[in-house]
Amino acid sequence: MLSAPVGWIARLSIGQKLAVSFGLIILLLIGSFAATLVYLSRVNGYVDRHQRITVPAVVTASEMLRNIGDMQMAMHHVLEHQTADDRTANLQTVAEIERRTLTALDTYQATHAARTHPVLYGMLQDHGRADLAEQEDRAIVQIADGLTALRAQREEIETSAHNTPAIAESAYEQATIRTTDAITSLVEIHRKIDVEMKIEGDRLVNQARMIGVGMAGLLGLLIAAVYMMMQRYVAVPLMRLAATADRIAHHDFTAQFGSWPGKDEVGALAASLATMLTSLRERGTALMRKTKELEAFTYSIAHDLKGPLREIEGFSSLLEKQFAESGDQQKKHQIDVIRTSSLRLTHMIDALLKYSRLEQQELPRTRFNVVEMLSSLLADRQHQSASVQPAITIDLPFADLYGEPVSIRQAITNLLDNAIKFSRHTSATVIAIGGQQTAAERIIWVRDNGIGFDATHQEKIFGLFERLHSPNEYEGTGVGLAIVKMVVEKHGGRVWAESASAQGSTFFLAFPDGQEAVSFNPKARLNAQD
């Protein structure tokens, strides 16, 4: 019995099941691709921020450090005993550097500071390092205060001519150091911010990798689930249906197609096959009944016909003896025709019964020694007949054959009888039994040197009651070659003949090599002569 699927899946067709399965797979692939793109865009965003914020910020801070150094050097020249013109030029240089440094500080505060970038500041808060933004703000304030102090001292030196150079230079240098330290601190703070950005980027990459692995795992699970679903709801039911169909093909009508409550194609197929099996059983039962009735009718008719024929043959024998004494040759001939016809009709009925039994009989196959069977057949013929025996040779390239020995013996006996019958008018009857082995078949042929037949009659001679000669020329029932053909075809083989008028005949029996066999070259020769 097929296990019944449950749930909504059972109500779907196979096409709908496949559509749902592939739809889920496509949605999962799209989701994994979208999630990967989102995380990659965030990673790219942090890379872009590193290029737009960190690197320019370090460059700007480095520029401010260089400016502070240049200011200190220029102020040193101002405080040396210089001419008024040189003093004025150096003070203007210091003022210009102060302006550039203040501009750089304003740029840093407006563009590179952490608080000016919500994403960057949010990242610092998520990492618990919001103090870096506060430290950065304090450093910026310290730098601005330092620059303000340096400008105030420059202005005082510029307006006062009574400052002692050593005292003024020392005070300016101390302000410069404080400002330089503040800028160095700002660079260090930004380096720490850059470290946090790299940590966030690595975290995003790991998350993207984990999402990719997770999506791949989910995809694998989904594919496995689809496989199991198709295996359970499609493949296994079809295999069971195929197994049941195979049993029915081998005439096992006790097999059952289990019901399948689903509404898919498998369910429709199971229902159709169950209906077909019911119809086959009914037709098979009716056919078996008709066959038995026909068989009983055949045997009844044969029995009823053979009774009168025996009486006709018996009374004709008595009449033949009576008229033999009277010497009336015409009446004796007429009575002989009646007796011969009744005997021929009796033989035809026996042959027809033999054909009918063979047609209905199963032929269990086995591996047997065909050379021994042929030798036994020829020995039996020698013992049964005291007349002159023809020369018969056996030369087979194999010793064994796969088939049913009794029916094959009957087929070869019929061929031998025909070979002897149609060769009896030759000066010396010669019959040869040979064979040939191929990759798929084992062939036995029987060749004679008799009268032969026209090649156009090759198919006709194997028909039931088909004869090429009248009963007066050659006796026979017209059933022998039909039995030969039936035996070979029930073995799954083929039969054919090659001949020409007055040139003898060769009949071939090809049997499929159903099992592995050992082949060798046994050569047996039996001469049955008087």
Side-chain angles (χ1 to χ4, degrees):
M1 292 292 291
L2 299 176
S3 59
V6 294
W8 61 275
I9 296 179
R11 297 188 293 273
L12 300 178
S13 66
I14 294 177
Q16 290 172 332
K17 291 185 179 74
L18 289 174
V20 170
S21 303
F22 285 112
L24 291 175
I25 291 175
I26 292 173
L27 287 177
L28 186 58
L29 287 174
I30 292 175
S32 61
F33 184 70
T36 303
L37 286 180
V38 169
Y39 273 88
L40 287 178
S41 65
R42 294 183 65 182
V43 172
N44 290 333
Y46 274 93
V47 172
D48 179 67
R49 291 184 184 92
H50 180 267
Q51 294 175 347
R52 290 189 297 104
I53 299 174
T54 303
V55 175
V58 173
V59 171
T60 302
S62 299
E63 181 184 355
M64 288 190 293
L65 281 175
R66 185 174 60 254
N67 290 342
I68 296 298
D70 293 342
M71 288 167 57
Q72 185 177 6
M73 181 64 67
M75 186 58 67
H76 175 73
H77 291 311
V78 168
L79 295 176
E80 289 181 349
H81 297 288
Q82 293 181 339
T83 62
D85 293 337
D86 292 337
R87 178 185 175 90
T88 301
N90 285 326
L91 286 173
Q92 289 178 354
T93 300
V94 171
E96 179 61 24
I97 296 173
E98 286 176 359
R99 187 186 61 77
R100 292 202 309 268
T101 305
L102 285 172
T103 302
L105 181 62
D106 292 339
T107 301
Y108 184 95
Q109 188 173 8
T111 308
H112 309 316
R115 289 188 185 276
T116 60
H117 298 280
V119 176
L120 181 59
Y121 185 68
M123 180 268 293
L124 292 177
Q125 288 180 322
D126 293 339
H127 289 195
R129 296 307 308 271
D131 60 306
L132 292 176
E134 297 174 358
Q135 294 176 18
E136 184 183 41
D137 293 341
R138 289 195 296 270
I140 291 173
V141 171
Q142 291 174 0
I143 294 170
D145 292 342
L147 289 175
T148 300
L150 290 173
R151 182 175 60 185
Q153 291 185 17
R154 175 185 59 78
E155 291 176 350
E156 184 179 354
I157 292 172
E158 186 177 9
T159 57
S160 177
H162 302 288
N163 289 329
T164 303
I167 296 174
E169 185 174 2
S170 176
Y172 196 87
E173 183 177 357
Q174 289 178 1
T176 302
I177 291 173
R178 288 194 301 272
T179 306
T180 302
D181 291 341
I183 296 174
T184 303
S185 176
L186 181 64
V187 172
E188 180 64 20
I189 292 169
H190 210 88
R191 186 189 67 79
K192 292 179 180 180
I193 293 174
D194 184 55
V195 170
E196 296 299 324
M197 291 178 68
K198 290 180 179 179
I199 292 174
E200 180 67 12
D202 292 340
R203 185 182 70 84
L204 291 175
V205 170
N206 289 332
Q207 286 181 350
R209 186 180 295 113
M210 291 300 295
I211 287 177
V213 172
M215 289 295 183
L218 287 176
L219 183 61
L221 290 175
L222 182 58
I223 292 174
V226 170
Y227 171 79
M228 293 177 64
M229 180 187 71
M230 299 306 294
Q231 187 76 8
R232 178 182 178 186
Y233 296 132
V234 179
V236 172
L238 286 177
M239 289 173 62
R240 292 177 179 173
L241 290 176
T244 305
D246 184 68
R247 290 175 59 189
I248 294 172
H250 288 81
H251 309 291
D252 181 9
F253 291 105
T254 61
Q256 294 285 344
F257 286 109
S259 61
W260 182 258
K263 297 182 180 180
D264 58 9
E265 293 83 348
V266 180
L269 177 61
S272 299
L273 289 175
T275 304
M276 180 195 70
L277 179 57
T278 302
S279 177
L280 281 176
R281 285 201 185 99
E282 293 174 354
R283 291 177 179 270
T285 302
L287 182 60
M288 289 179 63
R289 184 174 61 253
K290 292 295 183 182
T291 301
K292 290 182 179 180
E293 292 175 357
L294 182 60
E295 183 179 356
F297 176 76
T298 302
Y299 283 108
S300 176
I301 291 296
H303 181 270
D304 292 343
L305 287 176
K306 288 174 70 175
L309 287 173
R310 282 193 297 268
E311 294 178 357
I312 292 172
E313 192 274 332
F315 284 113
S316 63
S317 298
L318 294 175
L319 291 173
E320 185 180 21
K321 291 179 182 180
Q322 181 179 351
F323 283 99
E325 298 174 356
S326 66
D328 190 341
Q329 295 299 321
Q330 183 179 2
K331 288 184 174 57
K332 181 178 179 297
H333 173 70
Q334 292 172 347
I335 293 171
D336 183 62
V337 170
I338 293 173
R339 181 172 177 272
T340 302
S341 298
S342 65
L343 288 174
R344 187 165 64 88
L345 185 55
T346 301
H347 294 327
M348 288 180 65
I349 292 173
D350 290 337
L352 186 58
L353 288 175
K354 184 183 296 183
Y355 183 88
S356 177
R357 283 194 296 266
L358 182 62
E359 187 178 30
Q360 298 169 17
Q361 181 183 359
E362 292 292 335
L363 298 181
R365 305 181 196 181
T366 184
R367 182 71 57 181
F368 68 96
N369 192 312
V370 68
V371 175
E372 291 182 359
M373 187 266 285
L374 292 173
S375 301
S376 172
L377 171 62
L378 296 183
D380 291 344
R381 293 181 64 85
Q382 283 182 332
H383 294 319
Q384 293 172 3
S385 177
S387 60
V388 176
Q389 295 291 324
I392 303 176
T393 61
I394 302 173
D395 186 2
L396 291 177
F398 49 85
D400 54 350
L401 189 67
Y402 183 66
E404 199 281 314
V406 176
S407 61
I408 293 176
R409 179 187 174 108
Q410 179 64 53
I412 296 176
T413 299
N414 291 354
L415 293 180
L416 284 175
D417 289 341
N418 281 357
I420 294 171
K421 178 171 60 176
F422 292 108
S423 303
R424 65 190 176 195
H425 296 305
T426 59
S427 57
T429 300
V430 178
I431 299 174
I433 301 176
Q436 178 184 356
Q437 182 174 356
T438 65
E441 291 180 323
R442 296 194 175 195
I443 302 172
I444 298 176
W445 47 260
V446 178
R447 179 177 295 135
D448 63 63
N449 60 342
I451 62 172
F453 60 87
D454 192 338
T456 58
H457 297 147
Q458 183 177 151
E459 295 296 329
K460 179 181 179 181
I461 60 175
F462 291 103
L464 191 62
F465 298 126
E466 293 287 352
R467 294 175 53 85
L468 301 181
H469 306 280
S470 68
N472 295 329
E473 295 177 298
Y474 293 97
E475 71 280 2
T477 61
V479 182
L481 289 180
I483 290 177
V484 172
K485 182 179 181 182
M486 179 181 292
V487 168
V488 177
E489 289 182 347
K490 285 177 79 70
H491 281 82
R494 55 198 181 97
V495 60
W496 72 97
E498 295 177 357
S499 182
S501 296
Q503 295 184 16
S505 304
T506 305
F507 286 82
F508 297 87
L509 311 178
F511 297 93
D513 198 1
Q515 292 182 351
E516 184 180 356
V518 179
S519 298
F520 59 100
N521 259 329
K523 291 191 177 180
R525 181 178 179 85
L526 257 170
N527 292 321
Q529 297 179 346
D530 184 27

